[in-house]
Amino acid sequence: MRFSGTFILLTAMLAATAVRANLLHNGSFEEQATDNPKRAIYWTMNDPDDHGDSWGSASREDWRAIDGACIATVRGTWAEAEDYGGWWQEAAASAGKTYKLSAWFWADGDWFAEVQEMKLEFWNEDRSQMLSDSVNGLNVLTSEWREETLQAVAPEGTAWVRAVFNVNKAGNAGALQIDNVILTAIEE
């Protein structure tokens, strides 16, 4: 049996479309928030909607992006901010679908935090109840860019899936850095 180049190309294209486009906006943190260059649009509450935010010592910086110029960070207490922080953004979701979160991370050599994690959270229609979550503890990060992924199935009642990057009890030096965040729904 002989396969033509067109058949092979078509097969590859169909496989590639099995994973949809990024459900998140501004996953590379290139676009700044409307009134603050240290925040990223879509990752800031009410800029332009209420489907994302950042907190604590989170800050958008132009230190060392894996792609483009900017990254998301959670800084140590040297930044005269809290010893915690993070970023989240959500997208519409459906029960029974599998969602995959991927992002690239860099941790400064002197960075330390008791908790540093990426999470997929599944929320009900009015976002009043988290139905479940799946966590990847980011305990093996170094001073080199490293991609981490997380995958989970949305439980019954899911209307929203939320990508979360959370840090707690950070030390006084360095920062956790995040770039190229992608959330996709995997089609069966």
Side-chain angles (χ1 to χ4, degrees), residues 2-157:
R2 294 176 46 122
F3 292 100
S4 72
T6 303
F7 176 77
I8 293 170
L9 179 61
L10 180 59
T11 303
M13 288 173 51
L14 288 173
T17 59
V19 177
R20 293 193 334 211
N22 193 354
L23 298 174
L24 302 178
H25 301 283
N26 196 20
S28 63
F29 304 92
E30 295 301 315
E31 298 175 66
Q32 74 179 40
T34 304
D35 61 353
N36 186 344
K38 295 296 184 181
R39 299 284 178 229
I41 194 167
Y42 293 102
W43 298 90
T44 300
M45 184 57 70
N46 298 318
D47 192 2
D49 54 36
D50 66 347
H51 296 292
D53 205 5
S54 57
W55 69 94
S57 65
S59 180
R60 177 180 168 270
E61 301 291 344
D62 63 357
W63 295 341
R64 76 171 60 74
I66 192 167
D67 183 38
C70 294
I71 57 174
T73 71
V74 179
R75 302 162 299 156
T77 57
W78 60 268
E80 297 181 5
E82 306 296 334
D83 70 344
Y84 59 88
W87 299 81
W88 68 269
Q89 191 182 137
E90 65 192 4
S94 300
K97 282 196 174 183
T98 301
Y99 292 89
K100 180 180 178 183
L101 175 62
S102 67
W104 287 83
F105 297 92
W106 176 291
D108 290 327
D110 50 359
W111 165 256
F112 170 80
E114 283 188 28
V115 175
Q116 56 185 12
E117 59 193 5
M118 64 188 287
K119 300 187 339 178
L120 280 172
E121 296 178 349
F122 297 99
W123 291 79
N124 66 347
E125 179 68 34
D126 66 1
R127 297 176 291 170
S128 63
Q129 182 182 9
M130 183 171 62
L131 304 172
S132 72
D133 67 347
S134 185
V135 179
N136 177 355
L138 302 170
N139 302 319
V140 294
L141 302 178
T142 64
S143 296
E144 292 183 18
W145 283 109
R146 175 188 177 112
E147 184 179 29
E148 291 287 327
T149 62
L150 178 62
Q151 190 169 302
V153 177
E156 191 63 36

